[in-house]
Amino acid sequence: MLRKDILKKLKQHGVLPTSQRVEVAAILLARPQHLSADQIIDKLNGRGSRVSKATVYNTLKIFSEQGIVKELSVDSRCKFYDSTTDSHHHFYHVDSGQLSDIPESQVSISSLPPLPTGTEQESVEVMIRVRDKGR
Amino acid sequence: MLRKDILKKLKQHGVLPTSQRVEVAAILLARPQHLSADQIIDKLNGRGSRVSKATVYNTLKIFSEQGIVKELSVDSRCKFYDSTTDSHHHFYHVDSGQLSDIPESQVSISSLPPLPTGTEQESVEVMIRVRDKGR
DNA sequence: GTCAGTGCAAACCCTTTGCAGAAAG
DNA sequence: CTTTCTGCAAAGGGTTTGCACTGAC
């Protein structure tokens, strides 16, 4: 994603594009991926950017509140931030903790239960947990 | 669940049924439900049981390792322990953080993607996120 | 100038660990 | 008796908060 498009995206979502926010966005939005705050901090350090830990956390919180990224709670140890905000499904590799996307089109659900009274559906997500063969 | 059946269940899973473990099991296995460690501690205190925080955590860890309960990571703030260990699906009420079960039979998935090479399926779980209507 | 964003460290919360004492087989 | 479990307090790891400083409009 080009810097120009990142600036546009942040503004579209009502987020002031400060240099630190653009740096975080440039890493996370580079491709469809799932990164933890920690992984993002490592990547920032790797490219010589100086963004403090707290700012990364604050930025990710703002991004997910504004719908720029999607927060995932798969592992109770840490949150993951998904650069793909559309509804989609995931493989979760339990041995490595690695998440990967499954396009919505590759899963079809033919029946669902009625929703609890007074609620409306926000999303339906399928998680396929996999492990290394023959463990 | 009767105390006698709890003792049996713990033994079946190779867990020594100490009094603290039986107390924790009695609360969690009372009905199909999802409780956090904290909620269990509150309930123990409420009924006047004296089980330390660390012991509750250690006990829950042992229970989930031995398949007596199922550990769920829905909320990154805390783990939930599910008294239903069979494969099943969940509603997640995003406003309240409340989880509820969906029997496996009420969801049918008609197509799934191929698994990543070298992996085997551990489980397929559907999470339906719902929110209060007209928020 | 004013208001929002940043950096740092300290605070926080849930969970795990270490160790001495207690209990189970 | 030996091994395992318990309780407490302290450590741990990820995340959030408070506050002075900096920077944007």
Side-chain angles (χ1 to χ4, degrees):
Chain A
M1 202 173 213
L2 299 169
R3 188 143 299 242
K4 167 183 154 243
D5 297 319
I6 290 174
L7 288 171
K8 200 167 92 184
K9 185 157 201 169
L10 296 189
K11 284 179 199 153
Q12 273 172 357
H13 288 84
V15 175
L16 203 58
T18 66
S19 65
Q20 290 86 345
R21 290 173 181 176
V22 173
E23 298 241 24
V24 172
I27 286 176
L28 190 49
L29 304 180
R31 69 184 69 80
Q33 61 185 334
H34 314 86
L35 298 175
S36 65
D38 218 45
Q39 291 172 323
I40 291 170
I41 291 166
D42 283 349
K43 281 179 188 269
L44 284 167
N45 291 337
R47 62 159 68 178
S49 308
R50 61 280 156 250
V51 183
S52 79
K53 215 171 172 178
T55 298
V56 173
Y57 277 104
N58 292 336
T59 298
L60 290 171
K61 192 177 194 178
I62 292 167
F63 283 5
S64 58
E65 285 166 358
Q66 301 308 317
I68 297 171
V69 302
K70 202 168 172 177
E71 190 179 295
L72 301 176
S73 300
V74 197
D75 186 335
S76 64
R77 276 194 308 270
C78 70
K79 290 177 183 166
F80 282 95
Y81 294 89
D82 191 339
S83 55
T84 304
T85 51
D86 302 343
S87 172
H88 63 284
H89 309 296
H90 291 103
F91 282 118
Y92 180 59
H93 192 279
V94 298
D95 299 313
S96 67
Q98 193 73 34
L99 272 175
S100 50
D101 288 338
I102 303 172
E104 174 112 66
S105 63
Q106 284 192 36
V107 174
S108 53
I109 300 176
S110 48
S111 85
L112 283 176
L115 302 185
T117 319
T119 65
E120 58 188 356
Q121 180 174 312
E122 188 166 287
S123 65
V124 176
E125 281 168 24
V126 176
M127 167 90 66
I128 303 179
R129 300 168 75 88
V130 300
R131 56 166 173 259
D132 288 329
K133 213 172 244 171
R135 216 187 17 158
Chain B
M1 202 173 214
L2 299 168
R3 188 145 299 241
K4 166 185 154 240
D5 296 320
I6 289 173
L7 287 170
K8 200 167 92 185
K9 184 157 201 167
L10 296 190
K11 284 180 198 152
Q12 274 173 357
H13 290 267
V15 175
L16 202 58
T18 66
S19 65
Q20 290 85 345
R21 288 172 183 176
V22 173
E23 299 241 25
V24 171
I27 286 176
L28 190 48
L29 304 180
R31 68 184 68 80
Q33 61 185 333
H34 313 86
L35 298 175
S36 65
D38 218 45
Q39 291 173 322
I40 291 171
I41 291 166
D42 283 349
K43 280 178 187 272
L44 284 167
N45 291 337
R47 61 158 70 177
S49 308
R50 61 278 156 252
V51 182
S52 79
K53 212 171 176 179
T55 298
V56 173
Y57 277 105
N58 292 336
T59 298
L60 290 170
K61 192 178 194 178
I62 292 167
F63 284 4
S64 58
E65 284 165 359
Q66 301 308 317
I68 297 171
V69 302
K70 202 169 173 179
E71 190 180 296
L72 301 176
S73 300
V74 196
D75 185 335
S76 65
R77 275 195 309 269
C78 69
K79 291 176 184 166
F80 282 94
Y81 294 90
D82 190 339
S83 55
T84 304
T85 52
D86 302 343
S87 173
H88 62 284
H89 309 294
H90 292 102
F91 283 117
Y92 180 59
H93 192 278
V94 298
D95 299 312
S96 67
Q98 193 73 33
L99 272 176
S100 51
D101 288 338
I102 303 172
E104 173 112 69
S105 63
Q106 285 192 36
V107 174
S108 53
I109 300 176
S110 49
S111 85
L112 283 175
L115 301 184
T117 319
T119 65
E120 58 189 357
Q121 180 175 311
E122 189 167 286
S123 65
V124 177
E125 281 167 23
V126 176
M127 166 92 67
I128 303 180
R129 300 166 73 88
V130 300
R131 57 166 172 258
D132 288 329
K133 213 171 243 169
R135 215 187 18 157

